[in-house]
Amino acid sequence: MRLFDPHSLSDNNKFHYFCKKSHAMSPVKNKVKFTLTPNIITLSAFIVFSYMLLAVKNGYMLRWYDEMSLFLPDRIFFDSFMNYPGGILRYIGAFLTQLMYYPWLGITILVALWIFMSWVIKLAFSLDGSAYPLTIVAPLLMIATIVQLDEAWLSLNTPGYLFSNTFGFTLSTAALLAYRSIGNPLLRAVTGVIIVATYPLFGFFALLAGVMCIACEAVTITLSRRYGGIAAVVVTIVAIIAVPQLYFRYMPGTTVDNNCLYVKGLPELMMKGWDMYLWIPLIATSLLLVILAATQKLIGEKFKSSKGVNYLTIACAVLTAVYVYSAGQKSEQLRATVLMLYHIDHNRWDNVVNVMSRVKEQPDYNMTLLNNTALIKLGGGANSAIKPRNTPDGNPRKNESFTMTAFVQVPVNYHLGKTNQSYRWAMEHSVKYGKRVYFLKYLVKCALLNDEFKLAKRYNDLLMSTMFHRNWAEHYNRYIENPELMKQSQEFMSIPKLILAD
């Protein structure tokens, strides 16, 4: 058989032959094309929605969440959290809350955590294809826990609230994912007990993970007709009932009472109708995760590719987003009060009056009080003030008198020279709701004006140990070390000497 010899070709044919051969032997370069899949579109829409609602619409509020919190990098501060179920989540949350000093930084961390939460939910419950929009429902509800706070953040004694709920629900879902990866029924039983036994660290979220494991195991038993998992269900139920009681009775140093023991680790909300709007996203997220755990075995390929299911899951995500948006609406009075206090914090009295002049709604007592203070500081007279109003339902979180003492009276009394009154309200709310940067700053300044320099140093040293308020503390530390400098301070010289009249 005669073999083909390319050299026998004419010169022109040789050129075409070797060009084709060279092209055939050259490596093929695969061009990677970016495709906008439904999953990417859904996640991108969630990210845009998060930034618009938090940074753009409610950014002015987030800066105050840092002011109304405190993180201290010492052992005593850490131990104060560890005596409480779920304390480690609150401690981490308190650390991250101080990053709200730069709202865009804090929001970016939150969004990153919610994306991770969505990914964990997708893995744990096999939510892909048509079911994927369900993965962002829980993160959307976490946004609701933040934007709905309004006046409640003044009286909510839950350090790390902005982040701790997200961490807790993500850990519960990850625990279920680990539980499902174990094939041996006896090992699953042991794992269920271990998950619930983390109650001292994670509180309610450890118990929620146990309930999710039970729901998943029960459905698996029903579908497979294999009863080896019954032991896991039984011992996990026993652990859920027993572990919190054992913690309450035998954990040394715990500060927890037996009241509502099984929901410790969730925010310190009132078990009354007044706080129901704050409970709704937490209850809804818990029920969603349990339902997904129970139905995970029923979600097959046909379910994931159904257009009807896709419409249903998109509707769930859209309706949740509508609820979150409506929950984040703030009254113009609250918005104006927060902005006015921000300008007072920077001694920008003209801006306080400007905010008041732009408000279209009827100004409330707090707004009038702040505006009058600004007018006095600018050398004018005060307007007539209306009396503070209480809410018809008696909700203490929305009580205007409470908002006045917790938020408004402290700076107003300070700038009008009534330092004892300012000090009183700052101290009372610090004792009741915990130390906060906002109150510590006025405790320092009031102590300076009262010539109590050792006391001022005690409060100022706490601020010196913070991450972002150290510069403020260093500035006022000059007056503590050299009180004569106060006579050169425009701020201190503008405070009238009315201390004896308190």
Side-chain angles (χ1 to χ4, degrees):
M1 181 177 179
R2 185 177 180 183
L3 297 176
F4 171 70
D5 184 7
H7 295 285
S8 62
L9 298 173
S10 63
D11 292 340
N12 188 41
N13 288 336
K14 282 183 182 180
F15 174 77
H16 289 291
Y17 173 80
F18 284 108
C19 283
K20 290 180 180 180
K21 187 174 181 181
S22 175
H23 177 73
M25 294 178 64
S26 63
V28 178
K29 295 183 179 178
N30 295 323
K31 294 183 178 179
V32 179
K33 294 183 178 180
F34 179 77
T35 305
L36 282 176
T37 64
N39 290 8
I40 293 176
I41 294 173
T42 301
L43 192 59
S44 300
F46 167 75
I47 294 172
V48 172
F49 179 80
S50 301
Y51 274 100
M52 289 296 295
L53 194 58
L54 290 172
V56 178
K57 191 171 181 61
N58 290 290
Y60 68 97
M61 293 286 292
L62 295 177
R63 176 65 177 81
W64 284 104
Y65 293 150
D66 164 57
E67 292 280 335
M68 281 293 168
S69 65
L70 179 68
F71 180 86
L72 300 175
D74 57 44
R75 181 61 183 269
I76 296 176
F77 186 78
F78 176 77
D79 289 343
S80 68
F81 285 84
M82 299 313 295
N83 292 332
Y84 193 90
I88 190 64
L89 299 179
R90 293 188 178 188
Y91 180 80
I92 297 172
F95 171 79
L96 293 175
T97 299
Q98 63 185 332
L99 300 179
M100 284 297 173
Y101 186 87
Y102 300 106
W104 279 89
L105 174 60
I107 292 167
T108 300
I109 294 173
L110 276 172
V111 172
L113 290 173
W114 290 330
I115 293 173
F116 179 72
M117 182 185 193
S118 171
W119 178 72
V120 172
I121 290 173
K122 176 179 177 293
L123 289 181
F125 305 117
S126 302
L127 297 177
D128 209 347
S130 297
Y132 182 79
L134 290 177
T135 64
I136 66 167
V137 172
L140 282 171
L141 291 170
M142 293 299 97
I143 299 177
T145 63
I146 296 173
V147 297
Q148 70 180 359
L149 277 179
D150 46 57
E151 296 93 343
W153 57 280
L154 295 171
S155 56
L156 190 61
N157 192 8
T158 305
Y161 172 90
L162 300 185
F163 294 87
S164 60
N165 300 317
T166 296
F167 278 118
F169 286 117
T170 304
L171 284 171
S172 296
T173 309
L176 174 66
L177 187 60
Y179 178 89
R180 286 178 47 240
S181 67
I182 299 173
N184 188 290
L186 292 178
L187 288 179
R188 286 203 303 274
V190 173
T191 303
V193 173
I194 292 174
I195 289 172
V196 176
T198 60
Y199 172 82
L201 292 175
F202 308 123
F204 164 82
F205 300 105
L207 305 183
L208 175 64
V211 173
M212 292 164 63
C213 293
I214 292 170
C216 181
E217 192 71 59
V219 173
T220 301
I221 293 171
T222 303
L223 294 177
S224 65
R225 302 293 182 181
R226 297 177 182 176
Y227 302 102
I230 292 179
V233 172
V234 172
V235 298
T236 305
I237 291 175
V238 172
I240 290 174
I241 297 172
V243 168
Q245 296 296 333
L246 293 173
Y247 173 86
F248 171 69
R249 286 175 170 79
Y250 301 110
M251 187 72 173
T254 179
T255 57
V256 179
D257 56 27
N258 201 24
N259 185 31
C260 304
L261 188 61
Y262 291 90
V263 295
K264 296 301 182 183
L266 287 172
E268 294 296 307
L269 303 174
M270 294 180 288
M271 293 293 179
K272 295 181 180 180
W274 294 325
D275 272 0
M276 185 49 63
Y277 74 103
L278 296 173
W279 279 111
I280 287 174
L282 299 171
I283 295 172
T285 305
S286 302
L287 291 175
L288 173 67
L289 295 179
V290 172
I291 291 171
L292 288 175
T295 58
Q296 189 271 333
K297 290 289 184 180
L298 304 175
I299 299 176
E301 294 302 322
K302 187 176 181 181
F303 179 89
K304 296 176 185 178
S305 59
S306 170
K307 288 186 177 180
V309 170
N310 191 225
Y311 295 143
L312 178 62
T313 55
I314 290 175
C316 289
V318 170
L319 289 175
T320 305
V322 171
Y323 158 70
V324 174
Y325 181 83
S326 62
Q329 301 305 303
K330 302 286 189 297
S331 68
E332 191 175 14
Q333 289 93 337
L334 177 62
R335 179 180 180 276
T337 301
V338 172
L339 290 175
M340 292 166 82
L341 283 164
Y342 177 78
H343 292 308
I344 287 176
D345 194 41
H346 293 81
N347 293 305
R348 297 195 289 253
W349 301 104
D350 287 335
N351 290 350
V352 176
V353 177
N354 290 336
V355 171
M356 183 72 166
S357 64
R358 292 196 300 267
V359 174
K360 297 179 181 179
E361 296 182 7
Q362 177 67 32
D364 60 16
Y365 179 82
N366 289 325
M367 293 170 56
T368 306
L369 189 62
L370 294 172
N371 186 64
N372 285 346
T373 304
L375 292 174
I376 292 172
K377 298 294 285 189
L378 292 171
N383 296 326
S384 59
I386 58 176
K387 293 183 179 180
R389 301 182 298 270
N390 295 334
T391 52
D393 62 353
N395 187 344
R397 297 203 191 276
K398 294 181 177 292
N399 186 307
E400 198 169 281
S401 296
F402 169 79
T403 307
M404 177 184 65
T405 60
F407 203 25
V408 176
Q409 286 280 18
V410 174
V412 166
N413 280 304
Y414 166 76
H415 284 287
L416 294 182
K418 299 181 179 181
T419 53
N420 289 347
Q421 287 291 337
S422 178
Y423 186 93
R424 169 201 169 187
W425 289 118
M427 178 56 70
E428 284 195 13
H429 290 291
S430 294
V431 171
K432 190 170 184 179
Y433 302 110
K435 295 184 180 69
R436 302 183 178 191
V437 169
Y438 180 74
F439 296 132
L440 283 173
K441 287 181 177 180
Y442 282 98
L443 289 174
V444 170
K445 293 193 285 188
C446 288
L448 281 170
L449 284 174
N450 288 345
D451 296 332
E452 298 172 322
F453 302 110
K454 290 184 179 180
L455 186 61
K457 179 173 175 55
R458 183 184 305 172
Y459 299 132
N460 202 56
D461 285 346
L462 294 177
L463 294 172
M464 287 280 282
S465 63
T466 62
M467 185 180 296
F468 297 114
H469 299 281
R470 183 179 180 85
N471 290 339
W472 187 97
E474 288 176 346
H475 173 77
Y476 283 89
N477 193 57
R478 297 184 305 149
Y479 304 118
I480 296 173
E481 294 178 349
N482 188 1
E484 291 297 318
L485 292 177
M486 294 175 62
K487 297 178 181 179
Q488 304 173 17
S489 168
Q490 184 177 357
E491 176 187 353
F492 288 125
M493 292 303 295
S494 69
I495 307 296
K497 302 296 182 181
L498 298 176
I499 298 175
L500 295 178
D502 284 356

